[in-house]
Amino acid sequence: GAANLLAADRARRAGLAYLALGDWHGHLAVGPATHYSGTPEPDDFGRTATGLVLGVELAGPAAPPRVVEHRTARYDWIAADWHISGSDDLAARLDGLAAASALAGLVVRLRIAGRVSLAERVAIRDRLDNGVAHELRWLDLDLSELQARPTEGDLAEIDLNGVLRDAAERLQAIAEEGGGQARLASAALERLYVEHQRARRRGGA
């Protein structure tokens, strides 16, 4: 609050060689002799210059301090929005993520958009939920904008001519119409596809 405000030049006014401030979750230089050090670990997405400590060297009361950042964080927090066109596109994005940092040290909020086939959407969800999520420290995944455009092959996988095929085509039509029921219809179609695949695998076993 207002009662806690400090003048930006408080260090100079008080004759301080250095003024260390806390309670700001990123490194912030208020002035040459006044810094918020941030936190030794990031604690949210969107933090800048955090996950570090400051090494401060003072040559004397009147000398300007030498301030050096030292990384201490074990984890990196990344928020990303990807627009993909298929499984190969996703694989390339994941390869880039792995090349940039060790996956086990990443906390990731991932939003994926695009239009893919129904089979690809199911494969992408499975890759992320049952693969990537276990390789990362933590994954917050949103696929609500990754739309499935079922192909003839997708529908044939559900059912070639029977009742399930009729249901799948009706759900596809509702999803493509848009409106309040579109997301629900799309999710129902995906669930129908997945459950039919599971039933086929059980029958084959």
Side-chain angles (χ1 to χ4, degrees):
N4 294 324
L5 290 178
L6 289 174
D9 62 346
R10 181 58 182 168
R12 181 188 60 79
R13 293 186 189 184
L16 301 176
Y18 183 78
L19 176 58
L21 300 176
D23 202 28
W24 190 273
H25 290 204
H27 177 207
L28 176 64
V30 179
T34 304
H35 290 250
Y36 285 97
S37 62
T39 54
E41 279 289 341
D43 62 353
D44 202 354
F45 296 100
R47 301 288 193 202
T48 57
T50 190
L52 53 87
V53 297
L54 299 180
V56 181
E57 297 180 8
L58 302 175
R66 179 174 180 268
V67 182
V68 180
E69 295 180 355
H70 298 282
R71 177 178 168 82
T72 56
R74 293 179 58 196
Y75 304 108
D76 290 314
W77 292 52
I78 296 175
D81 294 288
W82 292 351
H83 189 283
I84 65 172
S85 58
S87 298
D88 291 343
D89 199 2
L90 175 68
R93 298 287 190 119
L94 292 173
D95 287 344
L97 192 64
S101 184
L103 294 182
L106 294 181
V107 177
V108 179
R109 175 177 289 160
L110 184 56
R111 305 288 179 264
I112 297 182
R115 296 205 71 173
V116 296
S117 71
L118 181 56
E120 278 194 306
R121 192 183 193 284
V122 171
I124 286 168
R125 177 180 287 280
D126 182 67
R127 173 75 179 96
L128 293 169
D129 283 343
N130 300 315
V132 175
H134 300 291
E135 298 170 15
L136 299 171
R137 180 63 180 179
W138 184 75
L139 174 63
D140 174 19
L141 178 63
D142 183 353
L143 296 179
S144 60
E145 297 301 320
L146 182 64
Q147 301 173 11
R149 176 180 287 171
T151 64
E152 182 63 28
D154 292 334
L155 297 177
E157 282 292 312
I158 295 174
D159 194 8
L160 191 57
N161 297 304
V163 174
L164 290 180
R165 174 61 177 265
D166 291 341
E169 290 178 345
R170 177 59 181 151
L171 289 170
Q172 181 182 9
I174 295 172
E176 291 180 349
E177 285 172 4
Q181 298 297 313
R183 287 185 184 275
L184 186 60
S186 181
L189 180 57
E190 182 176 339
R191 183 63 180 269
L192 180 62
Y193 180 90
V194 170
E195 293 300 327
H196 188 66
Q197 293 299 307
R198 288 175 178 170
R200 289 182 61 183
R201 287 195 295 269
R202 287 195 298 269

